Amino acid sequence: MPRKATAIEAKTTKAIVKTITPDEAVAEWLAEHRSPHTRAAYYRDLMDFCRTVFNADPERALRRFFALDEISAGVKVTQFKQLLRERGLSPSSINRKLSALRAFIDHARRRGIVNWRITDLVKGEKQRTDPKERIRQHLPSLTVEGIAEALRKLMGTLPERGLKALRDKAIIALMALHGLRRVEVVRLSVADLMNEPDGVLALRVWGKGDKFRVVKLVVETTRLLRRYLSALKRAKIEPEQDPWGIPVFVALRKGRGKRLTPTQVNNIVNAAMQKAGIKRKGISCHSLRHSFGTLAATSVPIPDLAAYLGHANIATTGLYAHAVGFANPSEAVLGILADNEI
């Protein structure tokens, strides 16, 4: 005798009656994120999905998408993933787009637009390179001594005279000596600077996911930052307030007084790396954060370093402990051959 279906088993996966329009859902979802850069990136990823899969404007594309059942929606997202592969996107870029789409669908589910999620139906792309190897690719050297020497060269490249040099050196110091991300440097506002009792500065740093942490600076970086801000005032350049506040690092010529963009910070760091002779493929702004984490991991407890860097997952920080200092099998074999005079 066939088993009678339970109420739970008989539950359908059709969309719940819509409480808001797709456009309103997109606006709500983006408004949850404080960073304009995050909102812009998520919006681009969502629009990419709409155009690639449905070849329609967001309102029409999302109405069609939300009208699907769970399995059909998963098929559409899998199709999107395959088309991104064919486009030649890297696994990390594909995963970022899928992550944005999952987050938006979760928001739509909370708002009663759909009653399904795609997390279990569509898996992210597997990274073809070991995480530790990815870090090594972005380090200026594979030894602690080599990394330290590269950072010394970089810091020594810029003089400590002149407004531009002081600004650029302060930016590089925050990345190389404190591990700040590029976007964290860009977001710094005057209100984020705090005076500590011992005379140094501490920063309220806005990181990924709009989370903030407090980073205490060393004496050298404090001095650089204060000298830059004093020089900025003497030059009578008034930082222009924006949604983040009054910016710390601003343009000095074109767009004078406006907050630096991530691209402008890239250009500043790349120019200094070129001058120091350490620039090559794979070496960028984020290499400074990797270098800081790798050097710090040699003596700082991983939980403390994770908190300082703003890592949500301590396993990410643990990768720095294995990025350098690993045994070279070739050297071991050569040593054996020499010992046995082969």
Side-chain angles (χ1 to χ4, degrees):
M1 181 177 178
R3 186 170 62 89
K4 189 176 181 180
T6 65
I8 294 176
E9 291 172 328
K11 185 179 178 181
T12 65
T13 56
K14 290 183 180 178
I16 296 173
V17 176
K18 299 170 181 57
T19 57
I20 56 174
T21 67
D23 278 350
E24 290 170 335
V26 172
E28 279 187 355
W29 175 60
L30 293 176
E32 292 177 354
H33 304 282
R34 186 171 186 264
S35 166
H37 299 294
T38 301
R39 291 197 296 269
Y42 279 1
Y43 183 77
R44 285 195 301 270
D45 291 338
L46 187 58
M47 295 309 101
D48 191 8
F49 171 73
C50 294
R51 288 191 297 266
T52 301
V53 177
F54 293 98
N55 192 27
D57 62 79
E59 178 73 18
R60 287 195 303 160
L62 292 175
R63 281 192 183 281
R64 288 165 59 188
F65 182 54
F66 289 152
L68 300 173
D69 58 41
E70 184 176 21
I71 300 301
S72 300
V75 169
K76 288 295 183 184
V77 178
T78 301
Q79 178 188 353
F80 180 51
K81 178 180 171 182
Q82 181 58 39
L83 291 170
L84 293 176
R85 283 178 185 156
E86 293 173 7
R87 237 193 261 172
L89 268 65
S90 67
S92 59
S93 295
I94 293 174
N95 288 339
R96 190 200 69 234
K97 288 179 180 290
L98 292 178
S99 177
L101 189 54
R102 287 192 193 100
F104 175 62
I105 292 169
D106 285 344
H107 176 79
R109 190 174 189 274
R110 290 194 302 271
R111 293 295 277 115
I113 299 175
V114 297
N115 64 356
W116 42 258
R117 53 169 61 96
I118 61 165
T119 304
D120 297 328
L121 297 177
V122 182
K123 301 298 181 184
E125 284 286 87
K126 289 185 178 179
Q127 298 283 356
R128 291 185 287 272
T129 307
D130 181 89
K132 294 188 290 294
E133 291 299 328
R134 289 202 300 274
I135 289 176
R136 288 172 189 150
Q137 290 172 10
H138 298 292
L139 290 173
S141 173
L142 292 181
T143 66
V144 168
E145 296 77 12
I147 294 171
E149 179 59 25
L151 294 185
R152 277 193 290 268
K153 284 182 180 178
L154 184 61
M155 293 299 295
T157 292
L158 296 170
E160 293 190 17
R161 295 183 63 184
L163 177 55
K164 184 180 184 304
L166 286 169
R167 180 200 64 182
D168 296 354
K169 194 162 189 172
I171 287 172
I172 289 171
L174 289 174
M175 293 179 166
L177 303 183
H178 300 280
L180 266 66
R181 300 176 178 96
R182 177 188 62 175
V183 69
E184 292 170 346
V185 170
V186 169
R187 289 175 180 175
L188 275 180
S189 295
V190 174
D192 296 323
L193 308 183
M194 300 175 287
N195 289 300
E196 291 291 287
D198 56 3
V200 301
L201 288 172
L203 307 179
R204 183 171 52 219
V205 177
W206 291 95
K208 288 184 175 180
D210 295 336
K211 298 173 186 174
F212 80 88
R213 66 189 187 279
V214 175
V215 172
K216 187 173 180 178
L217 303 185
V218 295
V219 172
E220 292 78 4
T221 312
T222 296
R223 180 173 53 82
L224 262 177
L225 202 47
R226 283 180 172 151
R227 287 187 62 192
Y228 156 66
L229 292 172
S230 295
L232 191 67
K233 190 173 182 179
R234 287 196 303 273
K236 297 182 179 179
I237 296 177
E238 193 72 29
E240 186 177 313
Q241 186 163 352
D242 57 25
W244 283 97
I246 298 173
V248 170
F249 295 110
V250 299
L252 305 177
R253 293 183 181 176
K254 187 177 180 180
R256 181 183 172 99
K258 290 187 176 180
R259 187 182 298 270
L260 287 179
T261 66
T263 300
Q264 288 172 315
V265 172
N266 265 351
N267 294 338
I268 288 167
V269 175
N270 286 340
M273 286 178 167
Q274 290 282 7
K275 191 173 180 181
I278 66 170
K279 179 65 179 172
R280 59 171 173 79
K281 184 179 179 181
I283 301 297
S284 64
C285 278
H286 210 64
S287 298
L288 299 181
R289 178 174 165 86
H290 284 326
S291 296
F292 170 81
T294 301
L295 294 181
T298 61
S299 57
V300 178
I302 295 300
D304 294 345
L305 182 56
Y308 193 89
L309 288 171
H311 282 157
N313 187 347
I314 196 171
T316 303
T317 318
L319 296 173
Y320 289 125
H322 305 285
V324 295
F326 53 92
N328 187 332
S330 298
E331 291 178 356
V333 171
L334 284 175
I336 292 171
L337 293 178
D339 291 341
N340 290 276
E341 296 183 351
I342 296 177

